[in-house]
Every structure is written in structure tokens, then in C-alpha cells.
Amino acid sequence: MRNDCLFCAIVDGDIPSNKVYEDELCLAFYDIEPQAPVHFLVVPKEHICCARKITGENSALVAHIFEVIAKVCEDLGCESYRIVNNCGDQAGQTVKHLHFHVLSGRDMTWPPG
Ligand code: 5GP
Ligand code: ZN
């Protein structure tokens, strides 16, 4: 294992996941505890701990991830969906590797809890 990060282990295949999409930059896989009929996560393969570490050096990766989300949702037939990023403990980030939740298939409330 390259470090003690759960999502790095999933990216490296050391921990299995139900993959939705993969390319050289990112991996999408279904959340183990889905909060909606469709709930997958998209992570960069590079370890970035959270959204606070997005800079001019790596923001192209984030743009790429949003393109991937649009493509995967199109392929899954999801026309309406919510993209969530939890950054930091108070926001509920439990895995300290940047990831975007994509939730679809049910009515969503606003504001979120
Ligand atoms: P966070 O709370 O950090 O925003 O989101 C972490 C997400 O990772 C949670 O929704 C949680 O269910 C998911 N998760 C935690 N461990 C695993 C795992 O081993 N496999 C998968 N597929 N998802 C996981
Ligand atoms: Zn990591």
C-alpha cells in the first residue's frame, strides 16, 4: 500500500470496489453505503486530501472529474443529480482523499442537513 488512505487503496486495487468508470486520472465507484438509488463517488487517482488543496496546479483534474460525472450520468440515464463534496470534519468528510459524491434517483431536499 502506498499510504494508509482508503481511497488510494481502492484506486490501487488493494481494496475491491464496484467500478463505474476508470481512466488514467480518476476512478468512479459505487458508495458502499448508498444514500440514493444511484450513489457513486469519483476520486482522483492522485492523493489530494480535500477541496482545500485544489490549486492552479491540479484544478484541471477537477474539471476532468466534472466531465466524467456528466458522461457517467448520461450513460446511466441520470438526468437530475446532486454532486456533493464534503471538505473537513465539520462538513462530514470521513475519508481524507478528495471525492465527489453523485446522488440520483430520488427527490432531494434543500438546504442539506
Ligand atoms: P465522506 O463522508 O468522506 O464525504 O464520504 C465517504 C464515503 O465513502 C461515504 O459515503 C462512505 O459510505 C464511503 N465509503 C467508506 N468506505 C468505503 C469503502 O470501503 N468502499 C466504498 N465503495 N465506499 C466507502
Ligand atoms: Zn488517498
Side-chain angles (χ1 to χ4, degrees), residues 3 5 8 47 97:
N3 54 36
C5 170
C8 282
H47 181 86
H97 178 128

Side-chain angles (χ1 to χ4, degrees), residues 36-98:
V38 175
H39 183 182
F40 62 90
L41 306 172
V42 190
V43 308
K45 289 192 167 177
E46 173 191 339
H47 181 86
I48 298 169
C49 70
C50 65
R52 289 178 55 238
K53 299 297 182 188
I54 296 170
T55 66
E57 298 291 304
N58 60 20
S59 59
L61 189 49
V62 178
H64 176 73
I65 284 174
F66 273 72
E67 283 184 44
V68 165
I69 290 171
K71 178 187 166 17
V72 171
C73 286
E74 177 79 27
D75 291 349
L76 295 177
C78 300
E79 291 185 353
S80 181
Y81 47 89
R82 181 169 290 177
I83 301 169
V84 174
N85 170 258
N86 298 320
C87 179
D89 293 335
Q90 192 173 31
Q93 183 181 8
T94 59
V95 179
K96 303 300 197 270
H97 178 128
L98 180 66

